């Protein structure tokens, strides 16, 4: 029987090693073990998307994974998006420009979803963007300014 | 909501996983994608004492064409079903059904095997597997067997799996020539479980008469419902609006749909008819057009949700 | 003074932190030695507590304590009445407020009966499962009408018929109006609002520093000052010993200004007893039960109209579900009662409501706060009258608008601020015209719709109007200070849940003091910094706090000019303030930085003239004499699949009037967010209770929030009728978008399916494809 489990992960390019209970959720590991509180928890049933991070480049629900499963993985969270302290990545800057966030709670999950999506689809139209967003709930914005932010970001990249 | 404590075994091979399952019996559950199991554990509706993690078993998610069979490893992610060209070609109903499963973040982790073993009556992939006459390869520590998909789903969250068995592979036989498939559903929001969904597979002869018609519903009973009326009505005839409508009308009588907060039984029965008509029409047109999955005409790199 | 920022779509100060994941929310607070709480909750909607044994839980490793009602001793008492009943003669009000932990019986599913405190939330939940509770289930008063019957099971043993309140308000003479009427139309309406479901659930962290004898509390509350004052009183501390901080909050929408939830009262108490910080974060499963809802009203309403469709009077009798307790008084049904009058001239009105206790989670305001229900009734009545008289839907509304020369317009009845309902300003016909124009009403009705119908498609249009009382008192305050660095700080009490206060208030100050937005630091939601004010609710932040900020900034500006005038030995009128400097007009070399002026104004030696106040700082309070009335028109074109009854919104238009706008981008964001919640309320969100008071869809998988695929692109336009009630002319906007979705959907779907011609009316919300199918497809209908 295994008691605690060793987890070695690289998060935003930084190596971490911890020993954790198998049941520790990846979301709690990121937030409380590693102190990276930018990733938020909204439901713990895999629906709201606030906890979305990238695992080996793919957006996943960190509340539906145990930290133990992430041993050996590379994880990207919102804290790793900005190129340097005090600067914002183009997607983040576009969100600010277009008022794509209000309370900011769902925003990190949306950024991590969109970051991966835009790498695969650099020139989406509005319908594509809304489909890509459909797995992230926002209760404040009504999504319109988020869509505007993405269009702004992709226009700037073009 | 935090899960109850459990011990954790990382399986290195199928044999290792099966040995662990035999050892711990009912106390142990397999962990594949976790997209159904982990929420249940977070709610403490499931409290396994041991989790056997299958995710590191090499090759368990491979998709291979062997002779006339598409062999899909149980650990194949929904995302793979959605994008793999072999699946698109040889099991298009599965590829199409996968696009309705939740959202991309879920599809990156969720697996075909896990989804089938979960046997949620509203789930899309079981219906598609039944409609494609898939055969499920199942192993235990001491044996292995094939179970036809239509025999695999025995009730709400219930399958023919024995306590010490694991689903390892899903074999989809080659589609006969002049076959068209269609998967569609009605849901409250895109990505939700189906209120009612349907997987249709129709094969026509060279005179465009239907020779084989499979129409399987999800959300219409305790497990996927393989309808008899569509084949009875259409076999030997060319597809027609009148035929589709008749099949639809009769289909309603074959089912005893459940009711829940999203839909009454009567509405589900009504939707079943609507979907039978629409899916048969689409499958027939794809069969007649030589484009089984309807992929032709879609813009390249079209983003599916 | 030049206005550079006020009225401009300035980008938000707070965004950089939030986008980088550095916004601090309550669950991000980490304190050394922190313990974690979890609650044991009633699985029954109504059950007597027969026994409770926490011993196994207490013995569980990692558990610091398990508390039951008995353990609280004197501390156990029902919560305070936060909002008293309105001063309406003849009213009945039975105050029954929530308790910290169940002592005699549980009155709704999820009511807490024990609190477990342990080293981690995981362990606390393990231990919670070990608390043995014995319940004796009781008959349940679940459905509203059933609970209102005299023989219904009593939620409170001493309140027969579950009557929480009974209020009748009248204006004019309805009976006379009915006598003169050309037509009277009577209908029964059911309007079921839902749960706010912010993305961040609630949470409390409390830390008792026994050496300093200070309690610090972080709370996801919309009213930190009220929490501080209440906790100090309950815990026997001085207000100055208690600091409550509302940090970044992930959406409020109303239920976070319900105060003194059991957890808010218990977590600080436990922290003091245990001598270690305690954190409780509500999980989503609990949130469905332990944070307030809005829910159902059933209206039996009638409208008396003349032959031209002009309203002679309205009579309405309704039931309101208030849940198991009523600490928030009658704000919600009162809003329904008042907002029903809308932008229309209603000469006679007779409205009666009975608020009913039920064995469900308590009901307190959620964005719209009961206005939705009233708007649904009047808009549907007008649609019914229009259909009856053969009038166009827009025309009947136009005929009934209060004309622009009739303001202030007095509706006489008592509003949620306990003042007679009075509309300050408004001009409704141009809003309707603009909405009709934007949605292409004329062309749609005469050309597009008939053409589409000929193709067998089912498209319909809806147009609805509403007013919204906003910006009510009592008051808010603000303190503005220029620091010697030249940066300006703004302190207020109201907190923030995402509506941009950090920026909007900075805009007000930046213009007054000639500084950049980035140089204005807004500090809000910390009772150590500012501790006067009521909180953010009822669309009042910009109006009330915004005007207080304006007043304080203006006072600081005057002080700066006076100080500079002394310094330059000239008159204040000879000076200009811009770019962070005060200079003599026309002599740019004669300039002094604001920061330097602040230092000058705070000498550390020497004598000062009597009456001098140090520094460049001022406090100002603003309390409006009554609320400011915002208004809006929503129009929507929808297509319905006649087989599945699924919908697609083809066009959604909002014309909105919130008076002067501080930041149009923020205003837009508020309206758009509200529209999304309105769409959810109208067609997706329903709290489905069974007859045992069990919530059948207590997960986000089954309580359906709209996603980016359900909310369409919305076209927005504004008209502006400034409010004469505050110096900035502002009206509130926070709730606007959420208010008229219900009648809009009902009207448009009816139109798409041609239901009125078949004698079928959609008189309930929420709708869904299944419900529309039940009402429309199976009903042959007669006319």
């Amino acid at each position: 029987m295994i008691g605690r489990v060793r987890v070695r992960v690289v998060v935003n390019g930084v190596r971490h090693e911890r020993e954790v209970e198998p049941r520790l959720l990846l979301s709690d590991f990121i937030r409380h073990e590693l102190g990276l509180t930018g990733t938020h928890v909204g439901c713990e049933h895999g629906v709201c998307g606030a906890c979305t991070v990238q695992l080996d480049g793919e957006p996943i629900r960190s509340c539906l994974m145990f930290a133990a499963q992430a041993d050996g993985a590379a994880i990207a969270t919102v804290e790793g998006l900005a190129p340097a302290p005090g600067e914002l990545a183009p997607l983040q800057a576009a969100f600010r420009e277009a008022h794509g966030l209000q309370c900011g709670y769902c925003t990190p999950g949306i950024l991590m979803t969109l970051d991966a999506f835009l790498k695969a689809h650099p020139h989406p139209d509005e319908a594509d963007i809304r489909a890509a967003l459909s797995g992230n709930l926002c209760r404040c914005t009504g999504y319109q300014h988020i869509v505007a932010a993405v269009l702004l970001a992709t226009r700037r990249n073009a | 909501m935090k899960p109850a404590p459990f011990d954790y075994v990382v399986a290195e091979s199928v044999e290792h996983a099966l040995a662990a399952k035999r050892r711990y019996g009912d106390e142990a559950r397999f962990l594949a994608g976790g997209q159904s199991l982990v929420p249940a554990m977070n709610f403490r509706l499931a409290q396994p004492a041991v989790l056997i993690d299958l995710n590191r078993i090499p090759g368990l998610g491979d998709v291979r064409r062997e002779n006339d069979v598409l062999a899909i490893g149980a650990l194949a992610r929904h995302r793979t079903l959605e994008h793999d060209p072999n699946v698109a070609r040889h099991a298009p109903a599965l590829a199409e059904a996968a696009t309705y499963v939740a959202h991309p973040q879920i599809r990156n982790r969720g697996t075909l095997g896990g989804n089938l073993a979960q046997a949620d009556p509203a789930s899309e992939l079981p219906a598609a597997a039944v409609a494609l006459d898939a055969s499920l390869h199942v192993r235990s520590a001491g044996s292995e067997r094939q179970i036809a998909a239509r025999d695999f789903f025995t009730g709400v969250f219930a399958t023919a799996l024995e306590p010490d068995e694991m689903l390892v592979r899903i074999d989809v036989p080659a589609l006969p020539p002049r076959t068209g498939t269609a998967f569609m559903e009605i849901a409250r929001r895109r990505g939700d479980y189906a209120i009612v969904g349907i997987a249709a597979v129709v094969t026509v002869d060279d005179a465009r008469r239907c020779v084989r018609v499979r129409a399987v519903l999800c959300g219409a009973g305790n497990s996927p419902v393989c309808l008899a009326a569509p084949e009875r009505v259409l076999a030997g005839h060319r597809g027609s609006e009148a035929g589709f409508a008749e099949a639809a009308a009769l289909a309603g009588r074959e089912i005893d749909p459940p009711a829940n907060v999203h839909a009454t039984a009567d509405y589900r029965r009504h939707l079943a008819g609507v979907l039978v008509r629409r899916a048969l029409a689409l499958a027939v047109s794809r069969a007649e057009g030589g484009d089984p999955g309807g992929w032709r005409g879609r813009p390249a790199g079209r983003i599916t949700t | 003074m030049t206005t550079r920022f006020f009225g401009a779509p300035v980008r938000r100060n707070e965004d950089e932190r939030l986008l980088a994941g550095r916004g601090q929310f309550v669950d991000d607070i980490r304190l050394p030695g922190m313990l974690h709480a979890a609650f044991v909750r009633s699985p029954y909607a109504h059950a007597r507590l027969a026994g409770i044994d926490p011993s196994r839980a207490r013995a569980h490793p990692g558990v610091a304590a398990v508390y039951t009602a008995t353990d609280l001793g004197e501390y156990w008492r029902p919560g305070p009445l936060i909002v008293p009943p309105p001063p309406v003669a003849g009213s009945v009000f039975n105050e029954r407020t929530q308790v910290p932990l169940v002592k005699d019986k549980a009155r709704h599913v999820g009511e807490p009966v024990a609190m477990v405190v342990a080293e981690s939330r995981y362990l606390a939940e393990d231990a919670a499962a070990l608390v043995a509770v014995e319940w004796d289930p009781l008959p349940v008063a679940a459905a509203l009408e059933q609970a209102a019957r005299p023989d219904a099971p009593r939620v409170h043993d001493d309140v027969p018929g579950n009557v929480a309140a009974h209020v009748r308000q009248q204006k004019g003479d309805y009976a006379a109006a009915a006598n003169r009427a050309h037509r009277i139309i009577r209908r029964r309406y059911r309007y079921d609002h839902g749960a706010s479901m912010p993305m961040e659930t609630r949470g409390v962290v409390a830390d008792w520093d026994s050496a300093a004898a200070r309690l610090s509390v972080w709370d996801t509350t919309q009213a930190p000052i009220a929490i501080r004052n209440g906790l100090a009183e309950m815990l026997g501390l001085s207000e100055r010993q208690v600091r409550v901080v509302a940090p970044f909050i992930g959406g409020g929408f109303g239920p976070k200004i319900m105060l003194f939830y059991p957890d808010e009262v218990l977590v600080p108490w436990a922290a003091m007893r245990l001598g270690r910080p305690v954190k409780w974060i509500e999980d989503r499963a609990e949130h469905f039960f332990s944070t307030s809802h809005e829910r159902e009203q059933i209206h039996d309403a009638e409208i008396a109209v003349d032959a031209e469709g002009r309203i002679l009077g309205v009579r309405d009798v309704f039931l309101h579900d208030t849940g198991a307790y009523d600490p928030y008084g009658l704000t919600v049904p009162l809003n329904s009662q008042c907002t029903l009058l809308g932008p229309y001239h209603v000469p006679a009105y007779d409205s009666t409501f009975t608020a009913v206790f039920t064995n469900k989670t308590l009901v307190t305001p959620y964005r719209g706060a009961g206005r939705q229900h009233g708007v649904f009734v009047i808009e549907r009545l007008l649609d019914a009258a229009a259909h009856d008289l053969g009038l166009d839907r827009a025309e009947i509304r136009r005929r009934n608008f209060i004309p622009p020369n009739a303001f202030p317009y007095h509706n006489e009845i008592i509003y949620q601020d306990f003042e007679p309902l009075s509309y300050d300003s408004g001009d409704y016909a141009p809003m309707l015209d603009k909405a009709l124009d934007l949605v292409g009403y004329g062309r749609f009705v005469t050309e597009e719709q008939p053409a589409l119908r000929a193709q067998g498609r089912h498209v319909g249009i809806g147009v609805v109007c509403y007013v919204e009382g906003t910006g009510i008192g009592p008051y808010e305050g603000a303190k503005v200070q220029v620091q010697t660095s030249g940066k300006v700080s703004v302190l207020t009490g109201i907190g923030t849940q995402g509506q941009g206060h950090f920026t909007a208030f900075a805009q007000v100050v930046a213009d007054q003091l000639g500084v950049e937005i980035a140089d204005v630091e807004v500090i809000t939601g910390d009772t150590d910094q500012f501790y006067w004010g009521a909180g953010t609710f009822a669309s009042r932040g910009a109006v009330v706090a915004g005007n207080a900020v304006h007043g304080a900034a203006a006072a600081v500006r005057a002080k700066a000019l006076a100080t500079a005038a002394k310094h330059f030995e000239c008159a204040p009128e000879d000076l200009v303030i811009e770019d962070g400097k005060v200079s003599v007009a026309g002599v740019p070399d004669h300039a002094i930085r604001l920061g330097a002026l602040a230092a000058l104004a705070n000498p550390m030696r020497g004598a000062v003239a009597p009456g001098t106040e140090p520094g460049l700082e001022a406090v100002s309070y603003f309390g409006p004499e009554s609320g400011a009335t915002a208004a809006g028109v929503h129009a929507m074109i929808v297509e319905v699949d006649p087989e599945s009854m699924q919908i697609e919104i083809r066009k959604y238009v909002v014309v909105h009037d919130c008076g002067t706008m501080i930041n149009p981008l923020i205003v837009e964001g508020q309206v758009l967010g509200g529209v999304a919640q309105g769409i959810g309320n109208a067609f997706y969100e329903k709290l489905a209770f069974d007859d045992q008071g069990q919530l059948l869809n207590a997960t986000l998988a089954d309580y359906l929030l709209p996603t980016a695929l359900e909310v369409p692109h919305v076209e927005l336009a504004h008209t502006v009728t400034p409010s004469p009630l505050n110096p900035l002319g502002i009206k509130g906007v926070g709730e606007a978008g959420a208010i008229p979705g219900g009648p809009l959907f009902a009207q448009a779907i009816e139109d798409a399916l041609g239901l009125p011609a078949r004698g079928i009316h959609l008189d309930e919300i929420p709708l869904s494809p299944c419900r529309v199918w039940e009402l429309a497809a199976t009903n042959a209908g007669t006319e």
Side-chain angles (χ1 to χ4, degrees), chain C residues 423-550:
Chain C
Y423 298 176
D424 59 346
S425 65
D427 191 359
Y428 305 129
M431 302 182 70
L432 179 61
D433 290 335
K434 203 161 199 171
L436 296 177
D437 180 55
L438 275 178
V439 83
Y441 185 79
R443 201 176 56 248
F444 178 81
V445 167
T446 57
E447 294 168 27
E448 292 168 8
Q449 188 178 40
L452 288 164
R453 278 187 170 147
Q455 292 171 26
R457 291 170 64 178
H458 294 71
V459 277
I461 192 164
V463 180
V464 296
C465 309
Y466 69 95
V467 299
E468 181 199 355
T470 70
I472 54 172
Y475 74 93
E476 290 300 326
K479 178 189 286 191
V480 172
Q481 183 204 358
V482 179
Q483 299 178 16
T484 54
S485 64
K487 292 224 186 288
V488 182
S489 62
V490 180
L491 312 177
T492 82
I494 60 167
T496 175
Q497 304 85 43
Q499 61 272 67
H501 291 158
F502 292 114
T503 305
F505 298 155
Q507 288 174 258
V508 172
V509 170
D511 278 348
Q512 287 284 338
L513 298 181
V515 296
E516 294 298 321
I517 296 281
D519 289 331
V520 181
E521 178 194 19
V522 176
I523 296 146
T524 184
D526 182 347
T527 62
D528 263 9
Q529 302 269 3
F530 198 89
Y531 50 83
W532 296 105
T536 163
F537 59 96
S539 304
R540 64 194 290 279
V543 180
V544 189
N547 275 284
V549 169
H550 173 77

Side-chain angles (χ1 to χ4, degrees), chain C residues 183-238:
Chain C
R183 273 284 205 286
I184 297 179
I185 289 152
R186 286 183 192 87
R187 286 267 198 276
R188 168 165 266 231
Y189 298 109
R190 304 183 89 100
Y191 194 97
D192 200 352
H193 202 179
S196 60
M197 288 296 139
M199 284 301 106
E200 183 204 32
T201 54
R202 293 190 305 107
V204 187
V205 175
D207 180 26
W208 169 247
D209 178 346
S210 55
R214 291 211 86 215
L215 177 69
S216 299
V217 179
W218 291 261
D219 186 352
T220 55
T221 179
Q222 295 170 225
I225 297 167
I227 293 290
R228 179 199 77 160
N229 297 347
L231 281 179
E233 192 265 314
M234 288 176 204
L235 293 165
L237 300 171
S238 111

Side-chain angles (χ1 to χ4, degrees), chain A residues 3-153:
Chain A
R4 293 175 83 75
V5 179
R6 185 171 58 172
V7 178
R8 290 150 301 190
V9 283
V10 174
V11 182
N12 302 328
V14 176
R15 288 182 183 289
H16 299 274
E17 182 168 332
R18 295 282 191 283
E19 290 227 335
V20 300
E21 264 193 292
R23 65 170 168 167
L24 182 67
L25 296 172
L26 182 60
S27 42
D28 288 334
F29 176 79
I30 290 169
R31 287 177 48 74
H32 300 299
E33 274 298 317
L34 302 185
L36 295 169
T37 55
T39 302
H40 298 143
V41 172
C43 74
E44 288 177 325
H45 37 286
V47 177
C48 78
C51 71
T52 304
V53 299
Q54 291 168 13
L55 182 86
D56 296 330
E58 293 183 337
I60 59 132
R61 311 282 205 224
S62 61
C63 71
L64 294 190
M65 209 167 154
F66 300 107
Q69 293 178 265
D71 185 34
I75 294 175
T77 71
V78 67
E79 288 92 341
L81 276 186
E87 283 176 38
L88 292 177
L91 182 61
Q92 292 167 308
F95 265 68
R96 178 156 191 251
E97 181 68 26
H99 192 31
L101 66 155
Q102 291 181 25
C103 80
Y105 199 76
C106 72
T107 308
I110 286 185
L111 288 173
M112 299 318 290
T113 295
L114 290 172
D115 177 67
F117 169 71
L118 290 173
K119 284 184 170 107
H121 308 280
H123 301 290
D125 62 18
E126 174 160 352
D128 296 331
I129 296 168
R130 285 178 178 272
L133 278 174
S134 65
N136 292 82
L137 293 176
C138 173
R139 203 54 167 156
C140 292
T141 67
Y143 307 102
Q144 187 155 320
H145 288 157
I146 297 177
V147 173
V150 179
L151 289 171
L152 181 63

Side-chain angles (χ1 to χ4, degrees), chain B residues 8 17 27 52 76 90 119 127-128 136 142 188 243 252 261 272 281 283 301:
Chain B
Y8 178 66
E27 287 198 333
I52 303 166
H90 301 290
L136 276 46
R188 286 303 329 262
V261 296

Side-chain angles (χ1 to χ4, degrees), chain C residues 287-360:
Chain C
H287 180 80
F288 278 91
F289 305 100
S290 65
T291 291
S292 59
H293 305 156
E294 267 194 31
R295 283 191 306 271
E296 195 180 23
Q297 288 177 3
I298 302 171
H299 290 248
D300 286 301
E302 64 182 65
I303 191 168
V305 293
D306 69 14
E308 275 72 54
R310 271 182 282 267
I311 302 169
L312 299 175
V314 173
R315 181 164 67 192
D316 185 26
V317 176
F318 66 99
L319 295 177
H320 169 79
D321 176 357
T322 195
Y325 301 103
D326 59 2
Y328 217 92
L330 302 175
T331 301
V332 175
L334 205 53
N335 280 339
S336 311
Q337 200 170 50
C338 291
T339 313
L340 184 149
L341 295 170
Y344 309 116
H345 176 58
V346 180
Y349 185 43
D350 182 353
S351 169
T352 307
F353 70 81
T354 306
V356 182
F357 290 121
T358 60
N359 284 121
K360 296 186 247 180

